[in-house]
Amino acid sequence: MSLRLRLLTALIAGALLPLAFAPVGFWPLSILSPALLLLLLPGLSLRGAIGLGFAYGLGQFGVGVSWLYESFTLFGGAVAPLAALITGLFVAAISIYPALTMALVRLSSGETEHLLPRHVLAFAGSWIFLEWLRGWVFSGFPWLDLGIAQTAGPLSGFLPIVGEYGVGMIALVLAGLLALSADHLFDSSRKCFKPISALIISLVLFLGVGHFLAKVQWTHPSGKPLSVGLAQANVPQMQKFDPAFLTKTLQTYVTLTEEMGHVDLVIWPETAIPDVLDDLDWFKKRLQARAAQQHQDFLVGTFTQDKSGHYFNSLVGIPETVGQHSKVHLVPFGEYMPLRPIINLFAGLIDIPMSDLTPGSVDQPLPEVQGVKVGASICYEADFARDIRHSLPQAGFLVNVSNDSWFGNSLAPHQNLQMAQVRALEFGRPMIRATNTGISAFINVQGQVTKRIGVDEQGILVGSVQPYAGDTPFFRLQSWPIIVFSTLLMGLAWLGRKR
């Protein structure tokens, strides 16, 4: 293949990868797509390898995070050309990671005309190391991490043991062996028995063991189930922060809550009350009265303010004995503005309400409902295992509230839900997810969605949640063994090149 044809093929392979994730969920593509990328590498220079990875990234993120454009145009107030420019620049910036992946593979393995076993080692190690790094730089962006795509496949059984990065590494080893086998098949002068045998054995081993592990229960039920009701009011983002609609919004949530009947816990999504709750004293007293009369607890998304005037994105408990959670992991450019002087240059073109928030404390006490501690998270926090881990093993179940109306009816609400499923699997806790415009859901400890309300729908979900206790191997080990192992694989590839 010419370099141009390889770049085009890499672009297409990258664009296909998001189909492995929700809502399509065709998980085999999480193996086939990376395999095709690696198969395109032999014979390329370092510069060509970088271009190959960058083209793949443009396809992967250009399709997978295309919802950014909609967020900026419809809900950020940006004009279309500016929104397209910002989205394009972001996709180009994030595509640096797959470009660096292929650069490391090329440097670790050397320039060869065919794939060798050391390419597989370098590919799996480099991809996962840089995927992990992407989850930290500039507060982290874990979208389309390869392990997340496995919730619908047999590799999901490994999530409670090695987490999303470990499962992603397994998928990449399989992808590498597939590419190695294909490379041998294309060259009649090379014997293909060994790589194909290794591929078949690995497929049988990992898929079979994964299927078995999916049946293992790492945590155990603790205490009595609680009845829970969540409200999805489907308030349009353009209306949400308009003071003229505040009373209507509050009444919508009250009406939906009354439809639930008696439940132990009522959950309203992120910023369901789009104001500081203490400034709405009359409404707060109304909720307190209902909680006392119905003997139920509330967790409502709203804003809070401390004595110093700092604002927080919070999940507030009613009565006050329930406690609250203030969001720790804020979204850059959404809840706080890095590079504020530069952003101010575009004043009037981008308008994001409540974008100067303060992060909550990492060690804040957990909310407690009916004697059960709750692992609360707000929106973005459920995308990070390290954020959810802070509440465990004390929390009996997880609650995530979100305002996914920022993303419209795009891929993002489905991707967010899938990441929540991964957290439930990694930590062996059921999760209740309440969102403003969907997707709201009940997720069990097996990561399965048992009840849901779709995008742009108004309604309630009422169900039972069983608290769990104990911990998973992943809780104890975290991702560090996998990250260390990824660097070891790169080192082994480098040593193989030197021989």
Side-chain angles (χ1 to χ4, degrees), residues 300-491:
V300 298
T302 183
F303 294 103
T304 55
Q305 186 179 21
D306 64 13
K307 295 179 180 179
S308 301
H310 298 119
Y311 290 93
F312 301 85
N313 185 353
S314 300
L315 188 61
V316 174
I318 295 175
E320 292 183 358
T321 53
V322 173
Q324 69 179 48
H325 170 78
S326 293
K327 191 175 184 182
V328 179
H329 197 153
L330 300 181
V331 181
F333 302 104
E335 293 170 316
Y336 74 97
M337 287 293 180
L339 308 174
R340 169 59 77 176
I342 296 177
I343 296 298
N344 287 340
L345 296 175
F346 298 95
L349 295 177
I350 302 177
D351 180 23
I352 300 177
M354 303 303 288
S355 57
D356 284 301
L357 298 175
T358 301
S361 172
V362 174
D363 58 353
Q364 55 192 302
L366 300 183
E368 187 169 326
V369 175
Q370 306 289 328
V372 180
K373 293 188 181 297
V374 178
S377 59
I378 299 176
C379 188
Y380 198 54
E381 292 178 315
D383 301 339
F384 297 87
R386 63 181 183 269
D387 291 344
I388 299 300
R389 189 178 183 276
H390 287 304
S391 64
L392 297 166
Q394 294 83 5
F397 62 96
L398 305 174
V399 170
N400 176 249
V401 295
S402 186
N403 179 28
D404 285 358
S405 58
W406 280 105
F407 312 124
N409 191 4
S410 66
L411 296 174
H414 303 274
Q415 293 169 350
N416 270 332
L417 177 62
Q418 190 172 32
M419 285 188 271
Q421 292 176 258
V422 170
R423 301 291 90 82
L425 277 163
E426 286 176 331
F427 296 111
R429 293 293 189 279
M431 178 180 284
I432 304 163
R433 191 165 189 271
T435 70
N436 180 25
T437 57
I439 304 168
S440 299
F442 281 77
I443 304 170
N444 63 20
V445 291
Q446 288 80 34
Q448 300 165 338
V449 176
T450 57
K451 293 186 177 183
R452 64 188 288 165
I453 306 178
V455 179
D456 294 335
E457 297 179 17
Q458 184 181 99
I460 61 172
L461 281 182
V462 177
S464 177
V465 59
Q466 170 64 60
Y468 274 70
D471 52 45
T472 62
F474 174 71
F475 168 80
R476 295 190 293 271
L477 298 173
Q478 304 179 63
S479 297
W480 298 113
I482 299 301
I483 304 311
V484 172
F485 188 59
S486 69
T487 59
L488 178 63
L489 290 183
M490 289 187 285

Side-chain angles (χ1 to χ4, degrees), residues 185-234:
L185 284 172
F186 292 156
D187 184 0
S188 58
S189 65
R190 305 175 74 194
K191 296 181 179 180
C192 58
F193 176 76
K194 288 184 178 180
I196 291 179
S197 298
L199 174 63
I200 294 173
I201 292 171
S202 297
L203 282 170
V204 172
L205 176 65
F206 285 119
L207 298 185
V209 172
H211 179 75
F212 169 77
L213 290 174
K215 300 178 181 180
V216 176
Q217 190 166 313
W218 300 98
T219 55
H220 56 273
S222 176
K224 297 180 179 179
L226 301 177
S227 56
V228 179
L230 60 86
Q232 181 171 301
N234 197 35

Side-chain angles (χ1 to χ4, degrees), residues 266-286:
V266 175
I267 304 174
W268 293 0
E270 180 186 16
T271 61
I273 303 175
D275 202 342
V276 177
L277 183 58
D278 286 340
D279 291 346
L280 301 171
D281 190 58
W282 63 273
F283 189 71
K284 184 177 181 180
K285 289 180 178 178
R286 182 177 177 181

